[in-house]
Amino acid sequence: MVPYRITLAVKEAQYLEGLLHYVHSSEFGDKLHISGFTKLDAFMKYMDGEETPDAVVGEAAFLEPWLARKNSESPNWILLGHGEAASIQGPVLPKYQPLPELMASIFGFCQKEGERHALPVTDGEAVTIGFVSVVGGSGKTTAAVNMAKQLGAAGLSVFYLNLETVNSSGIFPRPGRNAESAEGLPRMLYELKAAQEEKHAQAFVSPGPYTVHHPGIRADWFEPVTNLKELEQLGQSDTRKLLHSIAASGRYDVVIADTDSGANERLAAVLEGCRHLVWLMLDDIANLYKNGQWFAYMERSQPELFAELAGKSRYVVNRFTGQLTNQLPPFIPEVDGVLPNIPSWKQNSNEELLLSSPIYQRDILKLCKSVLGNLFVTDSGVRGYG
């Protein structure tokens, strides 16, 4: 997602500086580009220029004279106030409130006015990427959450969907986690079934009310469920509906689906429903043997599906030490990418280290470009003016 451009106008320089500092160091630094003003003449001159922001947020002292002469093509605006009377009528946000809530409201306002995608979409849906592996312990979840972080840092709006029976992404704690937020996925699945029973068009349900944002991985997700039966009972058809509802919601540029290694209906839904597949392997004789056996079985039992999967798959060797020592299975033509071995992770007791290795992030970024191309923005920032 291209970051939204916001013009912010307030009288107090201290207020502006604190807000800009917060945005620059927070998750919103990737989603909002803010130009700030404390002087009316500088603000008016800027608004008369060629650059048109997506939204203007300001005090009445700035918005009133600007609105008095704005034309029909001017951007949307929000009044930033604290109870004083104003001659203009429109959306109002309290000026003095926690900055995370204030910025979330501004960002939500921009989304409501129309999501803009930086990536090409197919049939109005976000790009879907499935992370899969034949053998457990191949590092699939670590790779998936790190890709989510990289894409989020690049300014894209990302959803991370974990479909494992035991959600291993739960090791990455989210601030404010509670038992109620863990009900998001079960509630959305219930609404999907209810919509289907009532024969609503395509049984579409927006994920918005059921998801939370994880600042560590810079993506939205469902808080890991506590009742594992919720996942065990999730079949292939319901998984496809869930994936479609998230991808078609208009809220996201990319949806990353993380699956169990063993065969189940959720994995089948991801294999068939995702536009791109990333297969994680290890340069290990047993790991590669199992991969070869699985692909051989797929080719014999479902040749059409096997050909479809081959056309959208990328094969990645994880924990790569510099040179392959084992031969790839005959069904894998070549390695499309590698992720490095990080020795410090072997006996790691700090989950944050799994999201902060510069070497690993470098190769994850290469994988992002391999899958999506060079079509996502990488710059972000804020600017302040007098």
Side-chain angles (χ1 to χ4, degrees):
M1 184 188 78
V2 177
Y4 293 105
R5 293 171 296 168
I6 307 298
T7 298
L8 178 67
V10 294
K11 291 181 179 180
E12 300 96 329
Q14 186 175 2
Y15 180 93
L16 176 62
E17 291 172 1
L19 187 147
L20 295 182
H21 177 75
Y22 167 76
V23 172
H24 182 71
S25 58
S26 75
E27 63 192 89
F28 296 105
D30 304 318
K31 300 178 179 180
L32 302 174
H33 282 183
I34 299 181
S35 301
F37 298 87
T38 59
K39 303 294 184 182
L40 178 59
D41 56 347
F43 167 72
M44 297 293 282
K45 182 178 180 180
Y46 179 81
M47 295 306 298
D48 288 338
E50 296 181 357
E51 184 175 353
T52 302
D54 296 294
V56 178
V57 182
E59 296 172 326
F62 293 85
L63 295 186
E64 287 174 344
W66 170 63
L67 289 172
R69 70 183 196 189
K70 91 182 191 82
N71 56 50
S72 60
E73 296 180 356
S74 296
N76 296 295
W77 57 272
I78 309 173
L79 175 62
L80 200 61
H82 48 90
E84 74 279 8
S87 63
I88 53 178
Q89 299 294 321
V92 181
L93 284 177
K95 179 180 178 182
Y96 298 106
Q97 61 173 302
L99 289 176
E101 297 178 16
L102 174 62
M103 300 316 300
S105 296
I106 294 173
F107 180 65
F109 175 84
C110 292
Q111 286 188 307
K112 184 178 179 181
E113 295 304 319
E115 187 76 28
R116 295 174 299 133
H117 289 268
L119 296 175
V121 296
T122 300
D123 298 328
E125 295 194 13
V127 176
T128 49
I129 305 171
F131 274 76
V132 291
S133 62
V134 174
V135 186
S138 298
K140 173 173 46 59
T141 295
T142 300
V145 296
N146 273 279
M147 174 176 277
K149 179 183 177 182
Q150 279 288 351
L151 295 177
L156 298 180
S157 181
V158 182
F159 192 94
Y160 169 74
L161 176 62
N162 189 292
L163 295 168
E164 297 175 298
T165 304
V166 179
N167 188 337
S168 54
S169 68
I171 66 172
F172 302 100
R174 182 185 63 85
R177 175 180 291 182
N178 55 52
E180 182 179 353
S181 59
E183 294 301 311
L185 178 57
R187 287 168 52 210
M188 181 164 178
L189 293 174
Y190 174 83
E191 293 297 333
L192 280 170
K193 289 184 178 180
Q196 185 178 9
E197 290 174 358
E198 295 175 9
K199 298 182 179 180
H200 287 175
Q202 299 181 349
F204 176 82
V205 175
S206 173
Y210 313 105
T211 64
V212 292
H213 187 77
H214 193 307
I217 62 176
R218 300 187 181 228
D220 287 359
W221 74 348
F222 295 114
E223 195 70 43
V225 299
T226 54
N227 183 359
L228 301 186
K229 287 186 178 180
E230 299 285 354
L231 272 300
E232 290 178 339
Q233 297 173 356
L234 184 58
Q236 183 173 348
S237 176
D238 289 337
T239 303
R240 285 291 299 269
K241 290 185 177 70
L242 175 65
L243 186 62
H244 169 73
S245 289
I246 298 170
S249 66
R251 300 170 63 91
Y252 303 105
D253 298 307
V254 180
V255 178
I256 295 175
D258 189 359
T259 64
D260 277 324
S261 298
N264 58 35
E265 293 192 28
R266 282 163 276 138
L267 172 60
V270 168
L271 292 178
E272 294 182 5
C274 283
R275 193 189 309 181
H276 302 283
L277 297 173
V278 176
W279 294 88
L280 266 291
M281 306 174 291
L282 301 179
D283 185 12
D284 171 88
I285 188 170
N287 187 290
L288 294 177
Y289 171 78
K290 290 183 178 181
N291 273 279
Q293 291 297 304
W294 192 91
F295 282 109
Y297 170 77
M298 286 292 295
E299 186 185 40
R300 292 194 306 271
S301 61
Q302 303 182 65
E304 293 184 1
L305 176 60
F306 177 80
E308 178 186 343
L309 298 183
K312 60 182 181 180
S313 293
R314 284 171 174 78
Y315 307 100
V316 177
V317 173
N318 196 15
R319 300 172 195 157
F320 183 64
T321 57
Q323 183 176 357
L324 285 175
T325 58
N326 293 282
Q327 186 174 359
L328 294 173
F331 301 96
I332 299 177
E334 60 181 352
V335 170
D336 296 297
V338 297
L339 296 173
N341 181 50
I342 309 296
S344 61
W345 288 359
K346 189 172 184 179
Q347 292 181 312
N348 178 30
S349 60
N350 185 349
E351 68 282 344
E352 293 183 0
L353 294 179
L354 299 175
L355 295 170
S356 58
S357 167
I359 298 175
Y360 194 84
Q361 296 292 329
R362 176 202 64 195
D363 287 347
I364 283 287
L365 183 58
K366 291 179 181 178
L367 181 58
C368 292
K369 293 179 178 178
S370 172
V371 175
L372 299 176
N374 242 342
L375 298 176
F376 54 94
V377 297
T378 57
D379 62 320
S380 63
V382 294
R383 291 174 290 170
Y385 299 87

